[in-house]
Amino acid sequence: MDELIDQYTSGVRGLDRYRRSLDRADPNQDDEARTVSGMLNDMRYALDWMRRVRRPGSRKGAENINQGDEVICRI
């Protein structure tokens, strides 16, 4: 897992450098910058999940849920 975290961290740094190098005045590059920003958000979310070993923003981890609770899922 540590190797994957290192790879994602390196990828985030590279994408961030690329995004900052784009010229926002050019409409094509501005669109590219928005796309890259979305990719950066996704990668940072995944990194947060990997580092914390739980979904980002979750206040209660799965390990803290009562084992006897019945879960009902209706579709």
Side-chain angles (χ1 to χ4, degrees):
M1 184 61 86
D2 290 334
E3 184 179 339
L4 186 59
I5 289 172
D6 291 342
Q7 290 172 355
Y8 266 69
T9 302
S10 174
V12 165
R13 279 192 218 115
L15 269 177
D16 195 38
R17 274 192 305 266
Y18 174 63
R19 182 181 53 91
R20 284 186 275 129
S21 73
L22 295 171
D23 179 17
R24 291 297 196 104
D26 179 5
N28 291 331
Q29 288 191 13
D30 186 46
D31 189 41
E32 177 77 6
R34 278 191 243 121
T35 301
V36 171
S37 292
M39 294 167 62
L40 280 167
N41 286 337
D42 292 345
M43 289 181 75
R44 287 180 179 136
Y45 183 85
L47 263 171
D48 194 27
W49 195 320
M50 286 184 260
R51 287 180 178 144
R52 294 175 190 239
V53 193
R54 66 175 57 158
R55 185 179 61 187
S58 179
R59 293 179 182 245
K60 187 172 185 180
E63 66 275 4
N64 295 329
I65 296 175
N66 294 333
Q67 297 297 323
D69 290 348
E70 182 180 342
V71 177
I72 299 173
C73 180
R74 296 175 193 218
I75 298 178

